[in-house]
Amino acid sequence: MNVEQNYPVKGRVILHLDMNAFYCSVHEAENPELYKGKATAVAGSVELRKGIIVTCSYAARAKGVKTGMTVRQASKFCPTLIIIQPDFYLYRKYSRGFMAIAREYTPLVEPISIDECYMDITGSKVFGTPLEIAETIQKRIGKEWGLPCSIGVAPNKLLAKMASDMFKPNGMTVLRIRDVPGLLWDKPSDTLFGIGKKTAEKLKRLHIHTIGQLAAADEHMLAKQFGVMGSWMKAAAHGIDHSEVNPDRGSNKSIGHTTTLPHDVTERADVHRIMLNLADQTGRRLRRQKLMAATVQITIRKPDMSTITRSSTLRSPTNTADDIYREACRLFDEHWRSREPVRLLGITLQNLSPQAETAVQLDLFDYEQQPRKEALTKAMDLLRDKFGEDAVLTAGMLGDDPSALIRNKRLRGTSLQRDEGDPVN
């Protein structure tokens, strides 16, 4: 733990909570007898060993395993590596758990992704000093959810984020503006949060290699080269950031699922069955959050990793799997060449709005059936909430033979979700 006990409270106090090796840590918390202290990794496709490592435990990292490796590559570094299929329902459960703890100390909690959030605890003095609050949260997350986390304590979001990255796992770091020259200025420019590789390469061509050189650079030159980002970079290099913690940021801009398939799919009927599965999952999450979607977008990735996305706006917003499925299949059929292999499929729902505030246009020839459909959907959701996601399956998911059920469950197990603007639900 790298902290200073007499941290003075001046101005804002921001925490950045970052769960460590989140997916692997969740599985370890759920099944410590299987995974505790072992080299584990979460990957999308276990069967053909071509899946990509999404995350790995610190025990696996110590043996050379890295995110982005294929399962085959990772197994060469660590033959005893345990590969786990992702379970995003479980990850969201744990995400909601640690976010709920955070919200007990301040209403100003901004989820950034499923495994991290900012907290503005400036007005939370009733719970103790900033370090006492941070230590309490860290201990509670560890005790109540079995998750390790690193916490950055700083006067702004930028420094809080950078502080949480300094010591993992289970680190706690205070980073103040006056610490920036000594701790950060000798670091490469792309270690400054918000600066990517391409920007760093352009900075190098301007003979700016470190954060300190960026801090000393002429602001007018930076603005000329990078626009408004140039001025932001210079301020950030000095540790200055005025952005607020926005608790509404977690409001959904989109909800999506992508599925990396255990083998390339070439048959239209198989694709449609997978689309039904994806439509079912995304529609269910819409209803759980009492939202409606006006736009359906699909993602198609080929074996060569080339990816296309296509979207369309519906005549009327919806939250039903039928509508989502129908539109997703129409988009796929329109933009897919017959028997062209598909490696990944996804559905993303966009232009979301609260269900209670959304006007829905009823079908002139089907409006009498609408209440029955809604009642059936509600009943199915209740069954799944009680007995699990596989408690109710539609005939379309099963296909033409009983073995399709097994294939469908396998596809469910290899689902890799990309939630944009929906980090916790």
Side-chain angles (χ1 to χ4, degrees):
M1 181 181 294
N2 180 36
V3 297
E4 180 177 322
Q5 293 299 328
N6 297 318
Y7 173 57
V9 181
K10 293 182 180 179
R12 292 192 304 161
V13 183
I14 308 298
L15 304 185
H16 181 258
L17 273 60
D18 190 2
M19 301 300 109
N20 304 143
F22 181 59
Y23 295 166
C24 289
S25 296
V26 167
H27 289 289
E28 184 173 320
E30 279 286 298
N31 298 288
E33 68 284 358
L34 293 178
Y35 304 127
K36 187 173 179 61
K38 296 182 179 179
T40 61
V42 172
S45 176
V46 177
E47 294 87 345
L48 300 183
R49 304 183 70 76
K50 293 181 181 178
I52 301 298
I53 300 296
V54 178
T55 190
C56 54
S57 66
Y58 284 91
R61 296 177 193 188
K63 296 184 178 182
V65 179
K66 296 180 181 179
T67 300
M69 285 182 172
T70 65
V71 173
R72 189 183 302 276
Q73 290 170 331
S75 297
K76 290 180 180 178
F77 282 92
C78 181
T80 59
L81 184 66
I82 302 172
I83 303 299
I84 309 171
Q85 291 184 337
D87 184 345
F88 287 97
Y89 295 102
L90 186 63
Y91 304 152
R92 286 195 293 273
K93 169 188 170 182
Y94 275 74
S95 182
R96 286 192 292 268
F98 85 77
M99 295 281 184
I101 291 176
R103 291 189 177 95
E104 290 184 28
Y105 296 87
T106 174
L108 299 177
V109 176
E110 179 180 341
I112 301 302
S113 66
I114 197 170
D115 63 346
E116 62 178 317
C117 68
Y118 290 108
M119 300 173 59
D120 187 332
I121 60 168
T122 307
S124 303
K125 297 177 183 178
V126 65
F127 297 107
T129 67
L131 283 179
E132 288 171 342
I133 294 172
E135 289 171 351
T136 300
I137 291 171
Q138 188 180 60
K139 289 177 182 177
R140 284 191 59 188
I141 292 173
K143 182 179 180 180
E144 297 175 28
W145 289 95
L147 297 178
C149 72
S150 294
I151 301 180
V153 186
N156 58 53
K157 291 167 66 175
L158 170 71
L159 295 184
K161 167 65 177 175
M162 297 192 69
S164 69
D165 286 337
M166 288 181 172
F167 293 92
K168 292 183 177 182
N170 269 326
M172 187 177 297
T173 306
V174 173
L175 184 57
R176 300 156 297 193
I177 291 179
R178 69 171 181 263
D179 299 325
V180 170
L183 293 179
L184 299 181
W185 277 6
D186 63 338
K187 301 291 192 298
S189 62
D190 58 1
T191 58
L192 183 65
F193 180 67
I195 295 182
K197 289 184 178 180
K198 290 186 177 180
T199 300
E201 289 172 1
K202 188 173 179 179
L203 285 171
K204 287 179 182 178
R205 292 196 293 269
L206 298 171
H207 306 291
I208 298 173
H209 301 272
T210 66
I211 295 176
Q213 290 173 335
L214 180 58
D218 180 73
E219 184 175 349
H220 295 291
M221 181 274 292
L222 291 172
K224 183 178 179 180
Q225 295 290 330
F226 298 95
V228 293
M229 187 180 178
S231 297
W232 173 86
M233 286 192 296
K234 183 174 177 67
H238 286 276
I240 298 171
D241 174 30
H242 300 295
S243 59
E244 301 288 335
V245 172
N246 179 12
D248 296 325
R249 186 185 184 278
S251 300
N252 300 77
K253 295 181 179 179
S254 67
I255 286 177
H257 263 65
T258 60
T259 296
T260 301
L261 307 175
H263 54 80
D264 295 342
V265 173
T266 58
E267 298 296 331
R268 186 186 308 273
D270 289 336
V271 169
H272 282 196
R273 197 149 41 239
I274 296 162
M275 286 296 192
L276 180 57
N277 194 321
L278 293 169
D280 177 64
Q281 294 181 61
T282 50
R284 180 152 154 70
R285 289 174 54 211
L286 270 183
R287 296 188 297 275
R288 186 181 293 144
Q289 298 174 55
K290 295 180 172 55
L291 295 171
M292 305 288 281
T295 300
V296 174
Q297 174 182 288
I298 66 167
T299 301
I300 307 169
R301 181 171 297 162
K302 304 174 187 177
D304 64 2
M305 302 306 288
S306 61
T307 304
I308 67 167
T309 58
R310 296 292 184 269
S311 64
S312 66
T313 299
L314 303 169
R315 182 180 61 176
S316 178
T318 188
N319 64 3
T320 69
D322 284 349
D323 293 337
I324 299 165
Y325 168 69
R326 191 161 42 244
E327 190 61 23
C329 288
R330 186 193 69 77
L331 284 167
F332 178 83
D333 292 345
E334 182 178 338
H335 298 284
W336 176 72
R337 288 183 295 184
S338 181
R339 299 194 62 79
E340 187 173 38
V342 175
R343 184 77 178 93
L344 173 148
L345 288 166
I347 292 179
T348 301
L349 307 178
Q350 301 170 329
N351 292 331
L352 307 186
S353 59
Q355 183 176 335
E357 301 173 10
T358 305
V360 178
Q361 181 178 341
L362 298 178
D363 191 300
L364 179 63
F365 302 102
D366 196 34
Y367 71 94
E368 291 181 342
Q369 300 297 322
Q370 192 66 23
R372 294 181 184 178
K373 290 182 178 179
E374 291 178 356
L376 177 60
T377 299
K378 185 176 181 180
M380 291 171 65
D381 286 343
L382 289 173
L383 283 171
R384 284 173 163 176
D385 288 341
K386 187 172 183 179
F387 298 108
E389 292 303 312
D390 290 327
V392 180
L393 294 173
T394 69
M397 292 180 184
L398 300 180
D400 298 326
D401 63 270
S403 65
L405 173 59
I406 299 173
R407 292 198 303 271
N408 186 69
K409 282 188 176 181
R410 186 182 299 136
L411 291 173
R412 272 184 177 272
T414 60
S415 176
L416 287 182
Q417 169 192 317
R418 178 174 58 85
D419 293 337
E420 298 181 17
D422 177 33
V424 295
N425 293 303

